[in-house]
Amino acid sequence: HTRMTMKKDNSVIFNGLFVGKQQLGYDFTIGHQIVTKPFVGDNPPHIHNFQEFLAWYGTNPDDPLDFGGSEVVFYLGEELEKHVITKPTMISLPPGLVHCPLEITKIVRPIIQIEMMLAPADGSAPTREPYFAKDKGFKPQDVMNFKVTPQK
């Protein structure tokens, strides 16, 4: 179990399972959480050298396409084009695509958020770099608290 909170106000931005190479024995990472409250991440626009997928869907077991009136805002590209998500969606983020910030602006009923990261296709180590000069040097650990509870 992994819990991430913002240092500035202790708001929860991730509270779920985050599993990677150590547990899977494969260069693949997946995060899964049930989002119960809105949040604004402090992750600046960035790029990386690996494929990433983000997905959101409802928690209604009879209809996972029921987003329950929730809203996700996500920014893509150098121009930071704003995308407002109001229905179950999966986004493919190829290597080099500028993306973020991410905001969960409205939660009527909890939704599920999944993040999947594949190993770089060329076998190199994964990289993640802020895109704009003003964000260079950004380190998530400077603005977020990370707490990992070992599995029993």
Short mmCIF file of all heavy atoms in Angstrom, two decimals, residues 50-91:
data_model
loop_
_atom_site.label_atom_id
_atom_site.label_comp_id
_atom_site.label_asym_id
_atom_site.label_seq_id
_atom_site.Cartn_x
_atom_site.Cartn_y
_atom_site.Cartn_z
N PHE A 50 9.48 6.58 -21.63
CA PHE A 50 8.75 5.32 -21.62
C PHE A 50 7.27 5.56 -21.90
O PHE A 50 6.76 6.67 -21.75
CB PHE A 50 8.92 4.58 -20.28
CG PHE A 50 8.59 5.41 -19.07
CD1 PHE A 50 7.29 5.49 -18.60
CD2 PHE A 50 9.57 6.12 -18.41
CE1 PHE A 50 6.97 6.25 -17.49
CE2 PHE A 50 9.27 6.88 -17.29
CZ PHE A 50 7.97 6.95 -16.83
N GLN A 51 6.59 4.51 -22.30
CA GLN A 51 5.15 4.54 -22.55
C GLN A 51 4.41 4.51 -21.22
O GLN A 51 4.75 3.72 -20.33
CB GLN A 51 4.74 3.32 -23.39
CG GLN A 51 3.25 3.19 -23.63
CD GLN A 51 2.71 4.25 -24.56
OE1 GLN A 51 3.30 4.55 -25.59
NE2 GLN A 51 1.59 4.84 -24.21
N GLU A 52 3.41 5.36 -21.11
CA GLU A 52 2.58 5.39 -19.91
C GLU A 52 1.11 5.41 -20.34
O GLU A 52 0.76 5.96 -21.37
CB GLU A 52 2.89 6.64 -19.08
CG GLU A 52 2.09 6.75 -17.80
CD GLU A 52 2.49 7.95 -16.95
OE1 GLU A 52 3.10 8.90 -17.49
OE2 GLU A 52 2.18 7.93 -15.76
N PHE A 53 0.28 4.77 -19.54
CA PHE A 53 -1.17 4.80 -19.75
C PHE A 53 -1.82 5.27 -18.46
O PHE A 53 -1.40 4.87 -17.37
CB PHE A 53 -1.72 3.40 -20.08
CG PHE A 53 -1.19 2.83 -21.36
CD1 PHE A 53 -0.09 2.00 -21.37
CD2 PHE A 53 -1.82 3.12 -22.57
CE1 PHE A 53 0.40 1.46 -22.54
CE2 PHE A 53 -1.34 2.58 -23.76
CZ PHE A 53 -0.23 1.75 -23.74
N LEU A 54 -2.83 6.12 -18.58
CA LEU A 54 -3.64 6.54 -17.43
C LEU A 54 -5.08 6.19 -17.75
O LEU A 54 -5.53 6.35 -18.89
CB LEU A 54 -3.52 8.04 -17.19
CG LEU A 54 -2.15 8.56 -16.77
CD1 LEU A 54 -2.17 10.08 -16.73
CD2 LEU A 54 -1.75 8.00 -15.43
N ALA A 55 -5.81 5.71 -16.76
CA ALA A 55 -7.21 5.34 -16.97
C ALA A 55 -8.03 5.72 -15.75
O ALA A 55 -7.54 5.69 -14.62
CB ALA A 55 -7.32 3.84 -17.23
N TRP A 56 -9.28 6.09 -16.02
CA TRP A 56 -10.24 6.39 -14.96
C TRP A 56 -11.56 5.73 -15.34
O TRP A 56 -11.99 5.79 -16.50
CB TRP A 56 -10.48 7.90 -14.85
CG TRP A 56 -9.24 8.66 -14.48
CD1 TRP A 56 -8.80 8.96 -13.23
CD2 TRP A 56 -8.31 9.25 -15.38
NE1 TRP A 56 -7.64 9.68 -13.31
CE2 TRP A 56 -7.31 9.87 -14.62
CE3 TRP A 56 -8.21 9.30 -16.78
CZ2 TRP A 56 -6.24 10.55 -15.18
CZ3 TRP A 56 -7.14 9.97 -17.35
CH2 TRP A 56 -6.17 10.58 -16.55
N TYR A 57 -12.21 5.10 -14.36
CA TYR A 57 -13.53 4.54 -14.60
C TYR A 57 -14.30 4.49 -13.29
O TYR A 57 -13.73 4.69 -12.21
CB TYR A 57 -13.47 3.18 -15.32
CG TYR A 57 -12.70 2.10 -14.61
CD1 TYR A 57 -13.34 1.15 -13.83
CD2 TYR A 57 -11.33 1.99 -14.75
CE1 TYR A 57 -12.65 0.15 -13.19
CE2 TYR A 57 -10.62 0.99 -14.12
CZ TYR A 57 -11.28 0.07 -13.35
OH TYR A 57 -10.58 -0.93 -12.71
N GLY A 58 -15.60 4.22 -13.40
CA GLY A 58 -16.47 4.27 -12.24
C GLY A 58 -16.35 3.06 -11.34
O GLY A 58 -15.75 2.04 -11.69
N THR A 59 -16.94 3.17 -10.15
CA THR A 59 -16.90 2.08 -9.16
C THR A 59 -18.24 1.36 -9.04
O THR A 59 -18.38 0.50 -8.18
CB THR A 59 -16.49 2.62 -7.78
OG1 THR A 59 -17.38 3.69 -7.42
CG2 THR A 59 -15.06 3.11 -7.77
N ASN A 60 -19.18 1.68 -9.89
CA ASN A 60 -20.47 0.99 -9.88
C ASN A 60 -20.25 -0.42 -10.44
O ASN A 60 -19.98 -0.57 -11.63
CB ASN A 60 -21.48 1.77 -10.73
CG ASN A 60 -22.83 1.09 -10.82
OD1 ASN A 60 -22.99 -0.07 -10.46
ND2 ASN A 60 -23.81 1.82 -11.33
N PRO A 61 -20.36 -1.48 -9.60
CA PRO A 61 -20.07 -2.83 -10.09
C PRO A 61 -21.03 -3.30 -11.19
O PRO A 61 -20.69 -4.18 -11.97
CB PRO A 61 -20.18 -3.70 -8.84
CG PRO A 61 -21.00 -2.91 -7.89
CD PRO A 61 -20.77 -1.47 -8.21
N ASP A 62 -22.20 -2.69 -11.26
CA ASP A 62 -23.16 -3.06 -12.30
C ASP A 62 -22.95 -2.27 -13.59
O ASP A 62 -23.49 -2.65 -14.64
CB ASP A 62 -24.60 -2.84 -11.80
CG ASP A 62 -24.90 -3.76 -10.62
OD1 ASP A 62 -24.49 -4.94 -10.65
OD2 ASP A 62 -25.53 -3.27 -9.66
N ASP A 63 -22.18 -1.18 -13.51
CA ASP A 63 -21.95 -0.36 -14.70
C ASP A 63 -20.66 0.44 -14.54
O ASP A 63 -20.69 1.61 -14.13
CB ASP A 63 -23.14 0.59 -14.92
CG ASP A 63 -23.00 1.42 -16.19
OD1 ASP A 63 -22.05 1.20 -16.97
OD2 ASP A 63 -23.85 2.30 -16.40
N PRO A 64 -19.49 -0.14 -14.85
CA PRO A 64 -18.23 0.59 -14.69
C PRO A 64 -18.11 1.80 -15.60
O PRO A 64 -17.24 2.64 -15.42
CB PRO A 64 -17.15 -0.45 -15.01
CG PRO A 64 -17.85 -1.53 -15.74
CD PRO A 64 -19.30 -1.50 -15.33
N LEU A 65 -19.01 1.93 -16.58
CA LEU A 65 -19.01 3.11 -17.44
C LEU A 65 -19.72 4.30 -16.78
O LEU A 65 -19.71 5.40 -17.30
CB LEU A 65 -19.65 2.79 -18.79
CG LEU A 65 -18.93 1.73 -19.62
CD1 LEU A 65 -19.67 1.49 -20.93
CD2 LEU A 65 -17.49 2.13 -19.87
N ASP A 66 -20.34 4.06 -15.63
CA ASP A 66 -21.01 5.10 -14.87
C ASP A 66 -19.96 5.89 -14.10
O ASP A 66 -19.40 5.41 -13.12
CB ASP A 66 -22.02 4.45 -13.92
CG ASP A 66 -22.71 5.44 -13.00
OD1 ASP A 66 -22.50 6.66 -13.14
OD2 ASP A 66 -23.48 4.97 -12.14
N PHE A 67 -19.66 7.10 -14.56
CA PHE A 67 -18.63 7.95 -13.95
C PHE A 67 -19.19 8.77 -12.80
O PHE A 67 -18.47 9.48 -12.12
CB PHE A 67 -18.01 8.84 -15.01
CG PHE A 67 -16.54 9.13 -14.81
CD1 PHE A 67 -15.62 8.12 -14.60
CD2 PHE A 67 -16.07 10.43 -14.88
CE1 PHE A 67 -14.27 8.39 -14.44
CE2 PHE A 67 -14.72 10.72 -14.72
CZ PHE A 67 -13.82 9.69 -14.50
N GLY A 68 -20.50 8.68 -12.61
CA GLY A 68 -21.14 9.28 -11.45
C GLY A 68 -21.05 10.79 -11.34
O GLY A 68 -21.17 11.33 -10.25
N GLY A 69 -20.80 11.50 -12.44
CA GLY A 69 -20.71 12.95 -12.37
C GLY A 69 -19.34 13.47 -11.96
O GLY A 69 -19.16 14.68 -11.76
N SER A 70 -18.35 12.59 -11.85
CA SER A 70 -17.00 13.02 -11.48
C SER A 70 -16.30 13.69 -12.65
O SER A 70 -16.72 13.56 -13.80
CB SER A 70 -16.20 11.82 -10.98
OG SER A 70 -16.79 11.31 -9.80
N GLU A 71 -15.21 14.43 -12.34
CA GLU A 71 -14.50 15.18 -13.38
C GLU A 71 -13.00 15.16 -13.11
O GLU A 71 -12.56 15.39 -11.99
CB GLU A 71 -15.01 16.61 -13.39
CG GLU A 71 -14.43 17.47 -14.48
CD GLU A 71 -15.03 18.86 -14.47
OE1 GLU A 71 -16.11 19.05 -15.07
OE2 GLU A 71 -14.43 19.76 -13.84
N VAL A 72 -12.24 14.87 -14.18
CA VAL A 72 -10.79 14.87 -14.15
C VAL A 72 -10.32 15.90 -15.18
O VAL A 72 -10.86 15.96 -16.28
CB VAL A 72 -10.23 13.47 -14.52
CG1 VAL A 72 -8.71 13.48 -14.61
CG2 VAL A 72 -10.73 12.41 -13.53
N VAL A 73 -9.31 16.69 -14.83
CA VAL A 73 -8.73 17.65 -15.77
C VAL A 73 -7.27 17.27 -15.96
O VAL A 73 -6.53 17.07 -14.98
CB VAL A 73 -8.86 19.10 -15.26
CG1 VAL A 73 -8.16 20.07 -16.21
CG2 VAL A 73 -10.33 19.47 -15.10
N PHE A 74 -6.87 17.16 -17.23
CA PHE A 74 -5.51 16.72 -17.57
C PHE A 74 -5.01 17.57 -18.72
O PHE A 74 -5.76 17.91 -19.63
CB PHE A 74 -5.56 15.24 -17.96
CG PHE A 74 -4.22 14.57 -17.99
CD1 PHE A 74 -3.49 14.40 -16.82
CD2 PHE A 74 -3.69 14.10 -19.17
CE1 PHE A 74 -2.25 13.78 -16.84
CE2 PHE A 74 -2.45 13.47 -19.20
CZ PHE A 74 -1.74 13.31 -18.03
N TYR A 75 -3.74 17.93 -18.69
CA TYR A 75 -3.15 18.81 -19.70
C TYR A 75 -2.15 18.03 -20.55
O TYR A 75 -1.34 17.26 -20.02
CB TYR A 75 -2.47 20.00 -19.02
CG TYR A 75 -3.44 20.86 -18.26
CD1 TYR A 75 -3.82 20.53 -16.96
CD2 TYR A 75 -4.00 21.98 -18.85
CE1 TYR A 75 -4.74 21.31 -16.27
CE2 TYR A 75 -4.92 22.77 -18.16
CZ TYR A 75 -5.28 22.42 -16.87
OH TYR A 75 -6.19 23.19 -16.19
N LEU A 76 -2.21 18.26 -21.89
CA LEU A 76 -1.37 17.54 -22.83
C LEU A 76 -0.70 18.49 -23.82
O LEU A 76 -1.30 19.48 -24.23
CB LEU A 76 -2.20 16.54 -23.64
CG LEU A 76 -2.74 15.32 -22.90
CD1 LEU A 76 -3.75 14.59 -23.76
CD2 LEU A 76 -1.60 14.40 -22.52
N GLY A 77 0.53 18.16 -24.19
CA GLY A 77 1.24 18.87 -25.24
C GLY A 77 1.97 20.11 -24.75
O GLY A 77 1.73 20.59 -23.64
N GLU A 78 2.86 20.63 -25.59
CA GLU A 78 3.65 21.82 -25.26
C GLU A 78 2.76 23.01 -24.94
O GLU A 78 3.12 23.87 -24.15
CB GLU A 78 4.57 22.17 -26.41
CG GLU A 78 5.65 21.16 -26.67
CD GLU A 78 6.52 21.52 -27.86
OE1 GLU A 78 6.46 22.67 -28.34
OE2 GLU A 78 7.27 20.63 -28.31
N GLU A 79 1.60 23.07 -25.59
CA GLU A 79 0.68 24.20 -25.36
C GLU A 79 -0.22 23.96 -24.15
O GLU A 79 -1.06 24.79 -23.81
CB GLU A 79 -0.16 24.45 -26.61
CG GLU A 79 -1.08 23.31 -27.00
CD GLU A 79 -0.38 22.09 -27.62
OE1 GLU A 79 0.74 22.22 -28.16
OE2 GLU A 79 -0.96 21.00 -27.55
N LEU A 80 -0.06 22.82 -23.47
CA LEU A 80 -0.85 22.44 -22.29
C LEU A 80 -2.35 22.52 -22.59
O LEU A 80 -3.12 23.17 -21.88
CB LEU A 80 -0.48 23.30 -21.08
CG LEU A 80 0.97 23.16 -20.61
CD1 LEU A 80 1.22 24.05 -19.41
CD2 LEU A 80 1.35 21.72 -20.32
N GLU A 81 -2.74 21.83 -23.63
CA GLU A 81 -4.16 21.77 -24.00
C GLU A 81 -4.94 21.10 -22.87
O GLU A 81 -4.62 19.99 -22.44
CB GLU A 81 -4.33 20.99 -25.29
CG GLU A 81 -5.76 20.92 -25.75
CD GLU A 81 -5.90 20.17 -27.08
OE1 GLU A 81 -5.00 20.28 -27.93
OE2 GLU A 81 -6.92 19.49 -27.23
N LYS A 82 -5.97 21.76 -22.40
CA LYS A 82 -6.77 21.28 -21.28
C LYS A 82 -7.80 20.27 -21.78
O LYS A 82 -8.55 20.53 -22.72
CB LYS A 82 -7.49 22.46 -20.62
CG LYS A 82 -8.33 22.08 -19.43
CD LYS A 82 -8.97 23.34 -18.83
CE LYS A 82 -9.82 23.02 -17.63
NZ LYS A 82 -10.38 24.25 -17.04
N HIS A 83 -7.84 19.11 -21.11
CA HIS A 83 -8.82 18.06 -21.42
C HIS A 83 -9.65 17.82 -20.16
O HIS A 83 -9.10 17.51 -19.11
CB HIS A 83 -8.13 16.77 -21.85
CG HIS A 83 -7.41 16.91 -23.16
ND1 HIS A 83 -7.97 16.55 -24.35
CD2 HIS A 83 -6.18 17.41 -23.44
CE1 HIS A 83 -7.12 16.81 -25.32
NE2 HIS A 83 -6.02 17.33 -24.80
N VAL A 84 -10.96 17.97 -20.29
CA VAL A 84 -11.87 17.72 -19.17
C VAL A 84 -12.52 16.36 -19.42
O VAL A 84 -13.19 16.15 -20.43
CB VAL A 84 -12.93 18.83 -19.07
CG1 VAL A 84 -13.89 18.54 -17.91
CG2 VAL A 84 -12.26 20.19 -18.88
N ILE A 85 -12.31 15.44 -18.49
CA ILE A 85 -12.77 14.06 -18.62
C ILE A 85 -13.98 13.87 -17.72
O ILE A 85 -13.89 14.07 -16.50
CB ILE A 85 -11.63 13.09 -18.24
CG1 ILE A 85 -10.45 13.31 -19.20
CG2 ILE A 85 -12.10 11.65 -18.24
CD1 ILE A 85 -9.15 12.71 -18.73
N THR A 86 -15.09 13.48 -18.33
CA THR A 86 -16.34 13.29 -17.56
C THR A 86 -16.94 11.90 -17.79
O THR A 86 -18.08 11.66 -17.40
CB THR A 86 -17.37 14.36 -17.96
OG1 THR A 86 -17.61 14.27 -19.36
CG2 THR A 86 -16.88 15.76 -17.59
N LYS A 87 -16.17 11.02 -18.40
CA LYS A 87 -16.62 9.64 -18.61
C LYS A 87 -15.39 8.74 -18.57
O LYS A 87 -14.26 9.22 -18.71
CB LYS A 87 -17.37 9.50 -19.93
CG LYS A 87 -16.56 9.83 -21.16
CD LYS A 87 -17.40 9.75 -22.41
CE LYS A 87 -16.57 10.09 -23.63
NZ LYS A 87 -17.35 10.06 -24.84
N PRO A 88 -15.57 7.45 -18.37
CA PRO A 88 -14.41 6.56 -18.31
C PRO A 88 -13.51 6.75 -19.53
O PRO A 88 -13.99 6.85 -20.66
CB PRO A 88 -15.04 5.17 -18.30
CG PRO A 88 -16.36 5.39 -17.64
CD PRO A 88 -16.83 6.73 -18.16
N THR A 89 -12.22 6.84 -19.27
CA THR A 89 -11.25 7.19 -20.31
C THR A 89 -9.92 6.51 -20.04
O THR A 89 -9.52 6.34 -18.90
CB THR A 89 -11.03 8.73 -20.31
OG1 THR A 89 -12.28 9.38 -20.56
CG2 THR A 89 -10.01 9.16 -21.33
N MET A 90 -9.22 6.15 -21.13
CA MET A 90 -7.84 5.71 -21.04
C MET A 90 -7.03 6.61 -21.96
O MET A 90 -7.42 6.86 -23.10
CB MET A 90 -7.65 4.26 -21.44
CG MET A 90 -6.19 3.83 -21.37
SD MET A 90 -5.92 2.10 -21.77
CE MET A 90 -6.16 1.40 -20.15
N ILE A 91 -5.90 7.11 -21.46
CA ILE A 91 -5.01 7.98 -22.22
C ILE A 91 -3.69 7.25 -22.42
O ILE A 91 -3.12 6.71 -21.48
CB ILE A 91 -4.76 9.30 -21.47
CG1 ILE A 91 -6.05 10.09 -21.28
CG2 ILE A 91 -3.73 10.15 -22.20
CD1 ILE A 91 -5.90 11.33 -20.44
#
